[in-house]
Amino acid sequence: MSPFIRAHILVCSGAGCVSSGCHGVYDSLMRALEEEGILGEVKVIKTGCIGSCDLGPTVLIYPDGTFYQKVTPEDAKEIVEEHIVKGRPVARLFPRQAEGEPAENISSLNFFKKQVKVVLRNCGVIDPENIYEYVARDGYEALARVLTDMTPKDVIDTIKQSGLRGRGGAGFPTGLKWEFAQRVHADEKYVVCNADEGDPGAFMDRSVLEGDPHSIVEAMTIAGYAIGANQGYIYVRAEYPLAVSRLTHAIEEAHEFGVLGENLFGSGFSFDLDIRVGAGAFVCGEETALLASMEGKRGMPRPRPPFPANEGLFRKPTLINNVETYANIAPIILKGPDWFRSIGTEKSPGTKVFALAGKINNTGLVEVPMGTTLREIVYEIGGGIPGGKAFKAAQTGGPSGGCIPESLLDISMEYDTLTKAGAMMGSGGLIIMDEDTCMVDIAKFFLQFTQDESCGKCVPCREGTKVMLDILTRITEGKGQAGDIQTLEALGKTIKNTALCGLGQTAPNPVLSSIRYFRNEYEAHIDEKRCPGGVCKDLVGYEIDAEKCRGCSLCAKACPTQAIHPVAGEAALAEASGGEGGHKPKRRTYEIDNSKCQKCGECMSVCRFDAVSRR
Amino acid sequence: MMTDEKKKVNLTIDGIQVEAYEGDMVLDAARRAGIDIPTLCYHPAIGPIGSCRVCVVEIENGRGLPASCVTPVREGMVVRTNTEAVREARRTVVELILASHPQDCLQCERNGRCELQALAMRLGIRETRFHREKEHKECDTSSPALVRDADKCILCGRCVNMCADVQNVAALGFAYRGTDALVTPMFERGLAESKCVSCGQCAKICPVGAIHEKEEWQKVADLISDPNLHVVVQVAPAVRAAIGEEFGIPAGTPVTGKLATALKMLGFDAVFDTQFTADLTIMEEGTELIERLKTKGPLPLITSCSPGWIKYAETFHPEFIPNLSSCKSPQQMMGAIIKTYYAKKAGIDPDKIVSVSVMPCTAKKSECARPEMNASGRRDVDIVLTTRELACMIRQAGIRFQDLSDGEFDAPLGISTGAGTIFGTTGGVMEAALRTVYEIVTKKPLG
């Protein structure tokens, strides 16, 4: 390789881009560079997730910062021939913003503009399988500083002063947790990383593990030093094979380079890490269930206290933090607690990564300072709602969270405000819903999830959520009864108050928050047997307005169940009068057979004359 | 539990100042203070589980309604056990359990002794607001000793804890999630295919009718009515101390004579005492011990009277099999004698003899079904009844047990030295064996 590198090509290799074909793009880039004879002048690396998953495979070219979206292997060849060799960027591969103008540079993309990357600082930037790249970005400097310059108390004080709160969902002060674990005297302690990311749609932890695994290795080692543990475990779900392989590689590399193992930095402190692969039960994200699972038992929560800090893995004091929390540690050590506090809000310092999904133009991972408003995330970063539809609500915190209505779009996205609004920060899932969403149906969807994932141990969660789900199902089927809303509220409250673990205690949130903000939708379902969002199939029907129908038959062709046919008498008439040279047949119209109709709405979307309506 | 090293903690429960010790749970402290918080999954014989959420309480400045069985006391804690919120939560929780529980209490094995029934009664539940369809599971009748009815299971987890943590067997566990959750042997196999040792502790601790001993009293009653059969019964030492409880006689009162009378009234053709073979067991085991001491055979010698323990050793500690005494248990010795020696003496065709035994333990039902238990050339003991089953027969027959006059066991197999009586108590078999060894070795009677 020549000492001079004229360009860096970063090929996003997060799981999203892997599934959309980034490996083919990478191979094609390498081949083209070889053909051009400039393989030694251009450095191509596979990075972790850059966040804009809907645009993948993405390719980023430095030094200029050119951003290419949806790149195919053929495009990759063109990029080399045009951009790299001739200096002419391939404009057709630039992403388009909502306003329509293409953005060629990553810095001009609205999606990235408002983001502040602390947790994701290295994701999409470095090659996660190359420890040199991590070190070049100040990797392991924090560990070196901690082991050579700081006492465990200094470390804990720094974390406490930073105000960092657990990113796993509940927002417990991290420094305090570390202090609890440090204070307990025991012959053995453990550090555990909760990478059992289970919220549907949330994947920030996976991205960090895939894109910057060393940041977790480093932070866990720091935590081990702080609390007096020499062994750590990363509990990661089996559905994350790429994360497991990159972590495994990182642990091996860290051993090789002497930043993990015996006598680190000559300090006398030793620390080792192992991976435990979970089978993928949502409840195993609950810390006591996670520990049970790690011990080889059924992943079922147990009552706390004792808290893991006192009695955790194998009954030894155990510190458990989630991936995103650990990813904040090294920067806090290096830049200091004041720097960290300068980001975010007073009560929730730092940043939060959200997984934007649902009815929004730009989906993917976004990292913003705590306190950013929902409106900024939806409209500036997310690029608004597709099809010019109206925003209806956002679900935060996944199935344990709640919905935020349009009236609260300016809510500051931080722990306490979200909880106050009846939602939850959770792990940072952020699902955007538009006017076509039925809130009862959404509540049912989330409750179905927690119901399925309930471990079945405690009565309120096992039986209560099932009863709530049955009521919701009835309501969406048009069989709601007077008093259903009150029963849901009462049951929800009891489950929240009496369930054994966080899963059960938060399971009613989607129902309670949607009743709180969208009670009228529940009432419409129950009292009027009407679904305002037009989603609940038993309450929705389509009809064709004979006056507007021009008989073009598009709807009949589009109908997947052949439920649309010409009106009987008219068809014969049209048949009889048709076909005589240029003579226009009498207009025939179509109608829908409701016994065959699957309520998919396809007829309505294909009709050019606005003749199909939903009732 | 309470030692001097433990720190004292002062708390207030329902306005009462309560002194407790660090590590105590709110439930313990409340009960000591005379406040009887209702519970369901809690049982003092196993650790608290915290699954049913019936014992919830309100704690000042605390979040939600924690379960008092798993909430440790804290200095200055203010607990309320009977607020409207608590009552409503408890009621809802019990109604939720009832929502999927079969409502066939009248036919249930536990009718009248069911803890869920008692709890619903105590909370004054007259209707259930909720209903949930539950997938029907066939009863597991594969075990000779126990029956599991998953439909009645309320998933409290008591049996799972008992089996795993107390008995160290872990034949039962949870499977599946949510409303599909199930207590079952592995892979939903029958108990007979599991490592179950038939100890019956699960049945003893089950609050409802989801696990109970396999009932065979009906079969016995039918056989007694058959004039062509000679139905013989033997009674274990422990039964004479336990059966009185079923009829309101204080626990532990020996009612040997009443028992003999009752068995004859039930129509058994001969009533024998297992103590007779307990004596034989002791003589056999005692001489076996002496033999092993002489020949340096496998030592220590472990007595073999308990079939639950034998199965446990075979399954989990086969390395101890050589240490087990080669003697049969008293039940099986009696069974063999009845169909050989007794049959010959009394001139009865052994094939016409039905050998019934009344035992304190469900594992005895499994023991008599073991294929090697056929010294007489046929099954030695045909049916084993538990103390409870016998009580059921006595009640059905209209016998006022408590008022019975004392009767006698039948000769020759009803006579014993009395040494076997202590079999029924912990360490009793061992003590009896050692007494025998002493007499054989010293040739002097024990003083």
Side-chain angles (χ1 to χ4, degrees):
Chain A
M1 191 176 272
S2 91
F4 175 72
I5 301 286
R6 71 151 111 165
H8 266 82
I9 304 181
L10 278 48
V11 182
C12 177
S13 299
C17 284
V18 168
S19 43
S20 57
C22 70
H23 291 325
V25 171
Y26 175 87
D27 294 343
S28 172
L29 282 170
M30 297 302 277
R31 255 195 320 275
L33 288 170
E34 195 169 6
E35 280 164 21
E36 297 290 342
I38 50 172
L39 202 51
E41 296 170 34
V42 180
K43 185 165 185 189
V44 189
I45 62 162
K46 291 180 181 176
T47 71
C49 177
I50 195 165
S52 50
C53 303
D54 58 328
L55 304 181
T58 61
V59 170
L60 189 55
I61 298 184
Y62 280 111
D64 39 344
T66 308
F67 187 86
Y68 290 124
Q69 66 155 356
K70 296 183 179 162
V71 180
T72 64
E74 293 72 44
D75 296 336
K77 192 162 183 283
E78 189 178 338
I79 289 170
V80 169
E81 289 164 357
E82 288 293 306
H83 187 146
I84 304 296
V85 176
K86 298 174 187 159
R88 295 192 298 227
V90 187
R92 69 177 175 82
L93 296 173
F94 294 156
R96 293 190 180 270
Q97 311 259 41
E99 304 89 68
E101 93 276 13
E104 66 169 277
N105 201 284
I106 185 161
S107 60
S108 61
L109 266 167
N110 292 335
F111 183 75
F112 294 104
K113 265 188 203 163
K114 283 220 160 180
Q115 294 200 43
V116 175
K117 299 215 172 189
V118 177
V119 169
L120 303 175
R121 62 194 178 277
N122 291 325
C123 288
V125 177
I126 63 168
D127 175 357
E129 302 204 347
N130 185 342
I131 193 171
Y132 284 109
E133 300 214 354
Y134 180 68
V135 171
R137 300 266 298 172
D138 303 331
Y140 290 107
E141 193 180 329
L143 177 62
R145 196 178 291 179
V146 162
L147 292 184
T148 54
D149 272 358
M150 295 170 81
T151 63
K153 189 178 176 304
D154 291 341
V155 178
I156 289 171
D157 286 345
T158 306
I159 303 301
K160 274 170 79 178
Q161 284 157 22
S162 76
L164 175 65
R165 296 172 69 172
R167 299 299 195 238
F172 190 81
T174 305
L176 219 51
K177 212 179 203 181
W178 288 31
E179 194 174 56
F180 290 156
Q182 188 259 332
R183 274 195 200 152
V184 186
H185 294 284
D187 55 342
E188 208 162 4
K189 295 182 187 179
Y190 297 109
V191 172
V192 170
C193 174
N194 183 346
D196 190 62
E197 191 172 43
D199 281 6
F203 59 99
M204 55 287 288
D205 293 348
R206 172 167 63 73
S207 269
V208 172
L209 297 177
E210 287 174 2
D212 194 13
H214 282 287
S215 68
I216 304 304
V217 175
E218 182 177 11
M220 289 182 73
T221 313
I222 292 172
Y225 174 73
I227 70 155
N230 303 107
Q231 177 66 46
Y233 293 99
I234 304 169
Y235 184 89
V236 55
R237 53 200 297 124
E239 293 96 323
Y240 286 181
L242 188 59
V244 173
S245 97
R246 288 195 181 150
L247 266 175
T248 309
H249 181 81
I251 291 170
E252 280 167 15
E253 261 186 325
H255 265 290
E256 216 173 287
F257 283 72
V259 288
L260 192 63
E262 300 289 315
N263 190 21
L264 302 173
F265 292 88
S267 65
F269 173 71
S270 302
F271 190 77
D272 215 336
L273 267 182
D274 272 312
I275 298 172
R276 289 287 175 271
V277 178
F282 182 63
V283 73
C284 287
E286 197 280 339
E287 58 183 17
T288 60
L290 183 147
L291 294 173
S293 170
M294 280 180 64
E295 290 172 0
K297 300 177 187 148
R298 175 176 160 94
M300 247 176 161
R302 60 156 176 80
R304 298 177 302 182
F307 286 92
N310 292 303
E311 213 177 293
L313 187 62
F314 304 116
R315 310 195 72 173
K316 302 288 182 190
T318 303
L319 172 73
I320 308 182
N321 283 130
N322 110 312
V323 174
E324 191 180 337
T325 313
Y326 281 125
N328 278 295
I329 300 300
I332 290 173
I333 299 286
L334 287 179
K335 298 181 187 171
D338 292 338
W339 162 80
F340 191 73
R341 281 196 168 278
S342 73
I343 309 167
T345 65
E346 196 200 329
K347 286 190 171 160
S348 305
T351 61
K352 180 74 194 90
V353 185
F354 290 100
L356 256 186
K359 303 287 182 63
I360 187 140
N361 278 314
N362 306 332
T363 62
L365 279 191
V366 299
E367 183 172 3
V368 289
M370 292 273 192
T372 303
T373 65
L374 180 58
R375 188 184 299 279
E376 288 172 283
I377 297 175
V378 173
Y379 287 98
E380 296 181 34
I381 298 169
I385 317 293
K389 299 250 170 146
F391 170 91
K392 186 177 209 170
Q395 176 85 14
T396 70
S400 313
C403 61
I404 309 279
E406 202 256 339
S407 60
L408 293 179
L409 259 176
D410 290 306
I411 191 172
S412 161
M413 298 289 276
E414 56 184 303
Y415 291 104
D416 311 291
T417 51
L418 285 174
T419 307
K420 226 176 120 197
M424 198 173 129
M425 175 70 84
S427 59
L430 191 55
I431 298 167
I432 310 299
M433 295 167 270
D434 71 4
E435 54 186 286
D436 291 339
T437 312
C438 169
M439 298 312 291
V440 185
D441 181 64
I442 283 288
K444 189 180 80 176
F445 168 81
F446 284 118
L447 200 65
Q448 174 82 60
F449 179 85
T450 33
Q451 213 321 277
D452 277 349
E453 295 291 341
S454 160
C455 78
K457 180 169 180 173
C458 80
V459 174
C461 179
R462 181 184 71 232
E463 304 289 339
T465 57
K466 178 70 171 105
V467 170
M468 285 181 79
L469 181 64
D470 287 348
I471 296 174
L472 284 174
T473 306
R474 257 200 302 108
I475 294 175
T476 56
E477 286 170 351
K479 296 172 197 153
Q481 301 158 2
D484 276 350
I485 300 181
Q486 289 74 8
T487 308
L488 285 173
E489 284 176 322
L491 258 178
K493 204 177 124 202
T494 301
I495 297 168
K496 272 178 86 97
N497 278 333
T498 58
L500 170 67
C501 82
L503 190 155
Q505 286 159 11
T506 58
N509 279 351
V511 183
L512 294 179
S513 72
S514 57
I515 293 179
R516 177 167 165 186
Y517 296 117
F518 298 94
R519 198 181 188 97
N520 56 339
E521 287 202 22
Y522 281 81
E523 287 165 350
H525 281 78
I526 296 168
D527 303 336
E528 302 162 39
K529 310 292 176 214
R530 182 174 65 85
C531 173
V535 174
C536 298
K537 288 191 170 159
D538 291 309
L539 300 180
V540 170
Y542 290 86
E543 21 183 56
I544 298 172
D545 182 345
E547 290 301 310
K548 289 182 181 167
C549 178
R550 303 280 285 270
C552 73
S553 84
L554 261 185
C555 58
K557 285 180 188 138
C559 179
T561 55
Q562 281 94 48
I564 305 179
H565 52 78
V567 175
E570 290 177 5
L573 205 66
E575 200 73 19
S577 59
E580 278 178 31
H583 177 70
K584 210 150 172 69
K586 183 187 175 320
R587 188 172 65 99
R588 65 174 175 183
T589 59
Y590 282 77
E591 64 182 3
I592 299 171
D593 177 353
N594 271 310
S595 65
K596 289 185 187 165
C597 174
Q598 293 298 305
K599 327 276 171 78
C600 68
E602 194 55 25
C603 49
M604 191 161 135
S605 61
V606 297
C607 180
R608 295 183 195 154
F609 311 106
D610 203 19
V612 184
S613 62
R614 189 166 60 206
R615 59 172 158 73
Chain B
M1 277 271 287
M2 280 181 275
T3 60
D4 292 337
E5 304 129 49
K6 281 199 172 171
K7 240 174 74 186
K8 279 189 179 168
V9 176
N10 294 292
L11 68 160
T12 311
I13 307 180
D14 293 343
I16 305 169
Q17 291 293 320
V18 179
E19 200 173 72
Y21 292 85
E22 204 169 46
D24 282 357
M25 297 298 156
V26 170
L27 178 71
D28 309 326
R31 286 194 168 169
R32 279 204 301 273
I35 301 160
D36 189 17
I37 300 174
T39 54
L40 184 56
C41 68
Y42 175 81
H43 194 288
I46 48 173
I49 305 169
S51 68
C52 77
R53 318 310 277 182
V54 167
C55 67
V56 291
V57 293
E58 218 172 275
I59 291 173
E60 210 165 88
N61 301 324
R63 218 172 44 143
L65 302 171
S68 59
C69 69
V70 288
T71 304
V73 294
R74 265 196 334 266
E75 183 62 38
M77 199 179 223
V78 178
V79 183
R80 289 186 194 87
T81 74
N82 191 28
T83 64
E84 199 192 332
V86 165
R87 285 194 303 267
E88 172 57 25
R90 271 184 202 151
R91 202 188 162 78
T92 304
V93 163
V94 174
E95 280 186 65
L96 284 170
I97 298 172
L98 293 173
S100 61
H101 192 77
Q103 308 279 316
D104 57 352
C105 298
L106 286 180
Q107 293 90 15
C108 181
E109 192 267 345
R110 290 299 294 269
N111 188 18
R113 293 179 296 119
C114 170
E115 294 179 43
L116 178 59
Q117 200 179 41
L119 182 65
M121 191 134 85
R122 179 173 164 185
L123 298 186
I125 291 171
R126 296 284 174 268
E127 54 163 0
T128 51
R129 285 170 290 172
F130 319 116
H131 174 73
R132 166 167 91 74
E133 286 301 324
K134 193 166 160 179
E135 195 195 335
H136 168 67
K137 298 271 175 193
E138 288 301 317
C139 263
D140 172 12
T141 55
S142 64
S143 156
L146 297 158
V147 175
R148 283 188 333 106
D149 183 353
D151 287 354
K152 288 189 177 143
C153 177
I154 57 168
L155 299 165
C156 67
R158 273 190 191 177
C159 56
V160 175
N161 280 23
M162 174 56 95
C163 192
D165 301 340
V166 181
Q167 299 302 86
N168 213 11
V169 170
L172 291 171
F174 283 98
Y176 309 115
R177 288 199 295 252
T179 43
D180 296 332
L182 204 61
V183 169
T184 168
M186 61 172 181
F187 307 122
E188 278 193 71
R189 297 284 182 82
L191 261 184
E193 287 180 79
S194 77
K195 48 189 175 171
C196 171
V197 302
S198 302
C199 70
Q201 291 303 306
C202 52
K204 186 163 168 271
I205 206 155
C206 178
V208 296
I211 309 183
H212 54 83
E213 71 259 45
K214 188 170 257 181
E215 289 183 301
E216 286 164 298
W217 57 265
Q218 184 65 55
K219 209 154 73 184
V220 173
D222 293 348
L223 291 168
I224 289 175
S225 308
D226 188 335
N228 296 319
L229 297 175
H230 184 79
V231 184
V232 179
V233 67
Q234 57 166 313
V235 191
V239 177
R240 68 207 60 187
I243 194 152
E245 278 181 67
E246 290 273 347
F247 300 96
I249 298 167
T253 313
V255 287
T256 318
K258 291 184 197 303
L259 182 56
T261 307
L263 289 166
K264 287 179 179 168
M265 287 173 76
L266 284 173
F268 285 105
D269 298 307
V271 179
F272 295 141
D273 189 352
T274 313
Q275 282 201 34
F276 176 85
T277 41
D279 282 350
L280 294 188
T281 304
I282 280 328
M283 285 161 62
E284 287 298 317
E285 278 192 2
T287 37
E288 188 175 12
L289 175 59
I290 294 166
E291 190 59 29
R292 287 201 192 187
L293 285 168
K294 274 188 198 151
T295 61
K296 308 244 178 309
L299 288 169
L301 176 72
I302 301 173
T303 60
S304 59
C305 294
S306 161
W309 151 246
I310 296 297
K311 184 80 198 300
Y312 179 81
E314 286 172 338
T315 311
F316 299 96
H317 294 286
E319 68 273 21
F320 286 130
I321 290 176
N323 296 75
L324 298 178
S325 161
S326 61
C327 297
K328 273 188 188 141
S329 70
Q331 164 177 285
Q332 293 307 137
M333 284 195 188
M334 180 65 92
I337 290 173
I338 286 170
K339 291 200 181 176
T340 53
Y341 174 77
Y342 170 75
K344 203 168 155 194
K345 274 271 173 198
I348 302 167
D349 174 6
D351 284 331
K352 292 273 192 289
I353 295 179
V354 176
S355 175
V356 176
S357 85
V358 185
M359 291 284 143
C361 171
T362 51
K364 289 285 176 187
K365 288 178 183 265
S366 293
E367 183 187 33
C368 77
R370 289 179 70 126
E372 70 271 24
M373 296 300 177
N374 62 346
S376 61
R378 55 191 71 68
R379 188 160 152 163
D380 294 334
V381 175
D382 296 297
I383 300 171
V384 175
L385 299 178
T386 61
T387 310
R388 275 213 300 244
E389 289 175 81
L390 177 62
C392 179
M393 286 181 79
I394 293 172
R395 263 194 296 267
Q396 269 196 52
I399 298 169
R400 290 172 57 90
F401 187 84
Q402 57 275 33
D403 299 337
L404 292 178
S405 52
D406 287 350
E408 295 278 332
F409 286 111
D410 291 324
L413 305 179
I415 303 159
S416 66
T417 64
T421 311
I422 55 174
F423 269 47
T425 184
T426 306
V429 179
M430 183 54 69
E431 190 182 330
L434 289 177
R435 282 164 172 260
T436 309
V437 169
Y438 178 88
E439 294 199 359
I440 294 173
V441 172
T442 62
K443 302 198 168 61
K444 270 185 268 175
L446 203 65

